[in-house]
Amino acid sequence: MKTIFIDTCVWWHWFSYLDQPSTLLPKLRAEAEAFQQIYNLVLNSDSKQFVFNQKILDELGSRFAEHFKERVLPFAKKVPIPLTRLDGAYKFDGSFLYGGNFGGELRDLLTIQGYKHADKLEESANSLAAGVYLYNTKPRKKEFDIEHMESALECNAELFITTDKKILDLLKQAVSSYPAQHPIAHMYSISKLPSESLNILMCKNH
């Protein structure tokens, strides 16, 4: 079974497209339309499957919970995050692994542009107000993208589909600094926009 990991932003834009297409900018609407075709392909395939992790559900929240329950859960598979922090969101339900094979393998992406991630995270952890969890802080949220990508690597995803240009540009910047066998290089090779992914999947269907 070929697995396809869908980033939170793709689900968010697609569900928004289903509800109110006019709320999306033209480029995002075009990507949502491309994803609609991908959805139909996977829905009717015996060899491809969408995968997601717990953070996807957390980030979508209550706004799109029904959409996800009705349109995705019946045939998608939940996969674990290979490494995460005890940030207040942890669930003892198999959603997370203690390291896995790819836990932490993409951590360089957090600092490659000079961002002092460890310092910022520690600063946030030490200054939490009462009732505020680490997962609500900006430095911790930066790690969510990494955890999604490491989940995709952990389950050997064929594609990681995202509309987050910052992630795609970051991978493009980073890849030249690593050998072809490095997880960052592999992540770059499987990370695509919905429109790019549709072309790949259509070619593989012929």
Side-chain angles (χ1 to χ4, degrees):
M1 180 71 72
K2 296 290 187 181
T3 56
I4 303 171
F5 194 104
I6 310 300
D7 200 4
T8 310
C9 52
V10 177
W11 291 124
W12 188 278
H13 294 144
W14 183 54
F15 294 149
S16 297
Y17 169 77
L18 294 177
D19 288 342
Q20 286 185 297
S22 61
T23 62
L24 294 177
L25 295 172
K27 285 186 177 179
L28 290 177
R29 189 161 62 247
E31 294 298 339
E33 290 169 352
F35 182 72
Q36 177 67 66
Q37 295 182 67
I38 292 171
Y39 178 85
N40 292 339
L41 276 174
V42 174
L43 187 64
N44 294 295
S45 172
D46 294 327
S47 61
K48 300 187 187 306
Q49 183 176 46
F50 289 138
V51 294
F52 65 97
N53 63 25
Q54 181 60 43
K55 278 287 188 293
I56 297 288
L57 298 176
D58 294 342
E59 289 178 306
L60 287 174
S62 58
R63 178 178 175 182
F64 293 124
E66 281 304 309
H67 268 315
F68 201 87
K69 181 180 178 181
E70 292 175 10
R71 300 175 184 275
V72 184
L73 283 183
F75 66 95
K77 179 183 178 183
K78 187 177 181 181
V79 297
I81 299 170
L83 183 66
T84 192
R85 295 178 184 273
L86 299 180
D87 61 1
Y90 190 91
K91 296 177 175 62
F92 294 93
D93 61 357
S95 295
F96 308 103
L97 299 175
Y98 293 99
N101 294 314
F102 291 96
E105 289 292 328
L106 304 180
R107 60 185 175 274
D108 289 359
L109 295 175
L110 292 165
T111 57
I112 199 167
Q113 294 178 323
Y115 182 74
K116 297 186 181 302
H117 180 73
D119 293 343
K120 295 291 186 182
L121 191 68
E122 183 177 3
E123 181 181 315
S124 293
N126 291 333
S127 58
L128 289 176
V132 177
Y133 292 101
L134 188 60
Y135 64 79
N136 285 321
T137 66
K138 184 177 178 180
R140 176 67 184 108
K141 287 181 178 180
K142 278 181 170 287
E143 295 177 328
F144 294 171
D145 291 327
I146 305 303
E147 292 180 7
H148 291 326
M149 290 188 283
E150 289 178 350
S151 284
L153 293 176
E154 191 71 29
C155 70
N156 195 29
E158 177 184 20
L159 285 169
F160 177 83
I161 303 181
T162 184
T163 50
D164 191 335
K165 283 282 288 168
K166 289 187 295 183
I167 288 297
L168 294 171
D169 290 344
L170 183 62
L171 287 167
K172 185 176 181 179
Q173 176 191 343
V175 70
S176 61
S177 301
Y178 296 88
Q181 299 79 17
H182 195 278
I184 286 179
H186 182 61
M187 196 66 227
Y188 173 71
S189 74
I190 67 170
S191 298
K192 308 290 180 185
L193 291 166
S195 53
E196 296 171 321
S197 302
L198 178 60
N199 290 333
I200 292 169
L201 292 169
M202 291 289 285
C203 288
K204 288 186 177 181
N205 274 358
H206 292 297

